[in-house]
Every structure is written in C-alpha cells, then in structure tokens.
C-alpha cells in the first residue's frame, strides 16, 4: 500500500510500546525508551521539562529537537501523549492480520501510542530516504488523560515551532481543528437529617431537593455546539433516615465560551432555585437547605481557522498521497486545546485508534500507515517552498 512507510516496522514499534506500562504520572519507562529512539534518529537536543514535578509524576514531557535539512523552512511541532488510561497495565496485544486489539482485560493503549509510533516511523523514513525537511520539534507529553496537565505545564519556551499537529484521534481521514471547552461541575446539596418514620417533618430530603433541581434541568445535547451531563450522584445513608446530603458530579461542554457559561449558569440556577424552596422549622429554629456548587474549567475550547497554514498543509499533503483529509470538529479535548492557548496553532490528525478508553480497543495498522503517509508528506511539503 505505502512505498515509504514500513508497515511491519510501525506495527512492531506499536506492539513494543503498548507493552510498556505508562499510566498517567507513571510514563517514565516509555519516556526513556523514546529518548533512546529520538537519539538514534538524530535529535540535536533532547530534554525533559519540569511538568513531571508539577503533576507529581515520575517524568516530564519529552522534547526532542531535530535540525532541518532545509533550515529556512518553518519549524513544525509533532506531538503525541505517552500516558494511557486504566485498566492499562500488563497490556497483551493480540495481532490478527493487520488488526491489533487488546486481550479484553485492559485497554490497548493505541491512545496514544499509535500516535507515538507514527511519529517515530515518519522521522525514520525522513532520515533513511533523505527527504528534505525543516526543523522538527517532537513533543511526547505526559498526563494528557489527566486534564491535559502535561500540555498545561509544557516548556513551550524550548520549542522553535509555532504550528503543528498532535496525533491523537481515531480516523486518519480527519483533521480536528475545533473542540469544545469544558467545565467540570461538583455539587453538594445539604438537607437536614431526621428519622423518616418518627419525625420526617423535622428533616429535609437532600435527595428530593436534588431531584427537583435535576428534573427542571436541560441536559444532554443542548444545541449543535453544546452538551451537558450529570454523571455521578451519591447520597443518603439508610432507608429510614431523611438524607441530609447528596453529591453530584457532571460537566458542560461547548465550542463557544458564551454558551458554555450560559449552560453552566443554568445548571447552577436549577440547584439554587430548588434549594431556595426548602426550609424547615424545628423547635422554633428555621433551617434552610444549602448548596455548594463549583464549576472548574477543565480545558478551553479550540478553534483553528480552516485557512490556517497548518490546516492547509495537512489537507494538501492528504491530496498528494491520495488520502482525503476532512477538516472537522470533535466532541472531546486533547493537548491541542491547551497548545492553541499557549501561542501555537495545532490541529489533531487521526491515527486509527478505535473504541478507545474501553477494553475492546483496537486498531488497523493500515490506518496508522495512512496517517504516517499524510504526516510524512506534510513535512516534505512544508520544506518545498520555504
Ligand atoms: Zn489520547
């Protein structure tokens, strides 16, 4: 299929990488393996930044700077994350022709070791085939799966590139340039405890108050740019006690900041209104139901314009290798969300990872090859008319 990308080599590197445990904050073993790989591929400077210390992990982000054979071409960032989600230790990949899957007891870790393997393969082909290229800044991040923390603390000052790609989504036929911002929501509704049989009028049911709030709340798909979810609810102690506390956790996401804030405010108001309706007087003392509501920004929205040079470069590269790349938006967050707020212009190219964050995760090596071809062509194209 591909004349330049070595399918067996990219598969073998993927298999090796997924067998190295690298849960978030424990990426050191895979980072050391990749440091060796980067040195072997001719990086002129390799460093680990301070992000590991800041997130309490055992390694920082790995940054490897490669000189350009066309030094005047604009430097490109290529990036993937080293950490994987749980259950992700002791991965035993099953190879079935060109399909690689987990054995059903763990994730595969193709999220995002497929991206890591693609980057290594592309660097190898550039070198072996002496394909002219500009300077390349490779960044392998930590803790992407922990609120994009590696990218948040990335030493961007060490980078030369102002634009590039992360390889961290499913289909190689898509380049994601838009993604929502998200608020994580944590709510505690306080009622008042009482014996449910002897004196229920002396209590306030936190469960009932929360239910009133949630019943009137807009959730799910709010509009084509906005979603909201309450994903965890916990409360009460026994069936004969009026419950005094319910804890709820959820989120709101939107591609637009104003809509994200509006949805978050709506969720807050539903709880406030329900809580305000409840009070009880016990022995002459009036007690009000009470609310704790916190909404914390998990990540910012990203929106790279269709006309941005990096977007046009990847689309043009896709055309040249006869792999149509469609520019679109995605519903999740990735390192690019952060990097676009940190002075870079970064889009997310698919790698072939499928059913990620499940023990049914799998991928087709042919997709990885296709993604690598597009990336390789983009790097070559970027150096053609510097
Ligand atoms: Zn990922």
């Amino acid at each position: 299929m591909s004349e330049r990308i070595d399918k067996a080599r990219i598969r073998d590197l993927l298999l090796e990488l997924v067998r190295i445990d690298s849960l978030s904050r424990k990426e050191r073993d895979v980072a050391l393996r990749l440091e060796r790989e980067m040195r072997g591929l001719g990086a002129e400077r390799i460093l680990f930044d301070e992000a590991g210390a800041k997130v309490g992990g055992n390694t920082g982000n790995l940054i490897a700077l490669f000189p350009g054979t066309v030094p005047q071409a604009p430097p490109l960032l290529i990036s993937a994350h080293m950490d994987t989600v749980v259950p992700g230790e002791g991965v035993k990949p099953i190879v079935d022709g060109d399909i690689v899957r987990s054995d059903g007891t763990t994730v595969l870790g193709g999220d995002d070791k497929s991206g890591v393997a693609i980057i290594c393969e592309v660097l190898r082909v550039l070198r072996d085939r002496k394909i002219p290229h500009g300077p390349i800044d490779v960044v392998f991040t930590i803790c992407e799966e922990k609120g994009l923390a590696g990218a948040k603390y990335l030493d961007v000052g060490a980078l030369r590139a102002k634009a590039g790609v992360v390889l961290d989504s499913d289909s190689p036929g898509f380049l994601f340039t838009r993604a929502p911002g998200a608020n994580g929501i944590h709510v505690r509704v306080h009622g008042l405890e009482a014996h449910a049989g002897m004196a229920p009028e002396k209590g306030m049911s936190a469960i009932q108050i929360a239910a009133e709030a949630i019943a009137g709340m807009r959730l799910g798909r709010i509009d084509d740019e906005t979603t909201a979810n309450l994903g965890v609810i916990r409360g009460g102690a026994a069936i004969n006690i009026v419950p005094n506390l319910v804890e709820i956790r959820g989120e709101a996401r939107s591609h637009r900041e104003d809509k994200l804030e509006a949805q978050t405010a709506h969720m807050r108001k539903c709880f406030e209104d329900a809580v305000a309706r409840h009070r009880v007087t016990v022995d002459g003392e009036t007690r009000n139901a009470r609310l704790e509501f916190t909404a914390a920004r998990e990540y910012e929205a990203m929106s790279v314009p269709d006309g941005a040079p990096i977007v046009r470069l990847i689309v043009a590269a896709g055309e040249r290798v006869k792999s149509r790349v469609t520019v679109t938006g995605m519903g999740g967050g990735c390192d690019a969300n952060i990097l676009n707020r940190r002075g870079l212009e970064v889009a997310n190219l698919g790698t072939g990872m499928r059913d990620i964050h499940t023990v049914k995760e799998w991928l087709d090596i042919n997709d990885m090859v296709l993604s690598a071809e597009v990336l390789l062509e983009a790097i070559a194209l970027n150096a053609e008319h510097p």
Side-chain angles (χ1 to χ4, degrees):
M1 164 189 181
S2 165
E3 286 163 18
R4 301 183 295 185
I5 301 300
D6 186 326
K7 190 159 125 182
R9 187 169 60 196
I10 202 169
R11 179 198 61 211
D12 291 348
L13 181 58
L14 173 79
L15 293 174
E16 181 189 347
L17 293 173
V18 300
R19 288 187 179 106
I20 304 173
D21 292 347
S22 62
L23 296 184
S24 303
R25 300 195 183 86
K26 297 181 188 168
E27 302 93 342
R28 178 164 33 206
D29 289 348
V30 84
L32 293 177
R33 171 66 184 84
L34 291 171
E35 181 188 23
R36 250 198 301 135
E37 187 78 8
M38 294 297 102
R39 184 160 297 124
L41 288 169
E44 62 184 340
R45 186 163 172 240
I46 299 175
L47 64 118
F48 288 95
D49 69 12
E50 300 298 314
K54 289 181 177 138
V55 303
N58 66 4
T59 180
N61 298 303
L62 170 56
I63 300 171
L65 306 181
F66 290 80
T69 59
V70 183
Q72 66 274 31
L76 279 180
L77 167 81
I78 51 179
S79 179
H81 65 88
M82 297 187 284
D83 62 318
T84 59
V85 295
V86 290
E89 287 179 306
V91 173
K92 289 175 280 298
I94 308 286
V95 181
D96 180 5
D98 289 336
I99 305 298
V100 180
R101 60 179 84 250
S102 81
D103 70 354
T105 63
T106 66
V107 297
L108 176 61
D111 176 10
D112 186 18
K113 285 167 178 168
S114 56
V116 173
I118 287 166
I119 290 170
C120 294
E121 172 66 16
V122 165
L123 292 168
R124 190 167 293 281
V125 173
L126 283 174
R127 197 190 58 160
D128 291 354
R129 292 186 173 255
K130 301 189 168 47
I131 297 171
H133 62 85
I136 297 172
D137 296 351
V138 175
V139 172
F140 293 127
T141 58
I142 59 170
C143 286
E144 192 272 348
E145 306 287 3
K146 292 287 175 206
L148 314 174
K152 277 178 191 161
Y153 294 116
L154 174 67
D155 180 6
V156 289
L159 304 180
R160 300 159 300 180
K162 290 283 166 239
V165 287
V166 301
L167 290 112
D168 190 15
S169 49
D170 52 12
S171 170
F174 291 102
L175 182 72
F176 291 101
T177 55
R178 299 180 300 280
N183 280 338
I185 290 168
H186 187 189
V187 182
R188 287 157 72 95
V189 175
H190 297 267
L192 187 63
E193 202 163 82
H195 193 292
M198 314 280 274
E201 54 284 301
K202 292 184 175 177
M204 284 183 286
S205 167
I207 288 177
Q208 190 170 22
I209 298 167
E212 286 177 18
I214 295 165
M217 195 176 292
R218 291 189 296 276
L219 292 170
R221 177 158 301 285
I222 306 303
D223 60 37
D224 59 347
E225 298 178 303
T226 312
T227 59
N229 184 49
L230 296 178
V232 178
I233 182 162
R234 194 175 288 129
I239 62 168
N240 61 353
I241 301 171
V242 176
N244 72 340
L245 177 65
V246 171
E247 208 161 346
I248 298 145
R249 287 191 294 125
E251 61 164 30
R253 302 183 185 204
S254 183
H255 289 274
R256 281 196 20 202
E257 180 67 26
D258 54 343
K259 289 183 173 181
L260 176 59
E261 288 313 313
Q263 174 63 23
T264 305
H266 162 71
M267 293 166 82
R268 179 194 293 268
K269 183 151 193 322
C270 288
F271 281 109
E272 283 173 349
D273 289 352
V275 164
R277 286 195 292 269
H278 288 266
R279 64 180 50 78
V280 65
T281 302
V282 182
D283 303 330
E285 190 190 344
T286 299
R287 306 276 295 269
N288 295 307
R290 198 160 56 79
L291 175 71
E292 295 173 77
F293 184 104
T294 57
R297 182 58 53 94
E298 292 194 327
Y299 43 85
E300 308 286 346
M302 90 174 199
S303 179
V304 180
D306 286 356
I310 186 64
V311 177
R312 287 163 47 191
L313 178 68
I314 299 292
V315 170
E319 279 166 12
R320 292 228 307 209
V321 299
K322 307 213 168 10
S323 166
R324 211 174 116 75
V325 177
T326 302
V327 177
T328 187
M330 69 193 292
C334 69
D335 282 342
N337 290 53
I338 302 296
L339 298 175
N340 279 297
R341 301 276 162 162
R342 301 199 61 203
L344 292 116
E345 202 156 49
V346 181
N348 183 350
L349 181 63
T351 70
M353 59 172 88
R354 308 286 175 177
D355 291 335
I356 60 164
H357 296 202
T358 78
V359 296
K360 291 183 288 191
E361 188 186 347
W362 63 280
L363 57 77
D364 184 337
I365 297 294
N366 295 306
D367 280 343
M368 286 180 65
V369 170
L370 203 56
S371 178
E373 274 292 347
V374 173
L375 180 60
L376 180 65
E377 193 61 33
I379 291 169
L381 192 54
N382 179 57
E384 272 181 23
H385 308 287

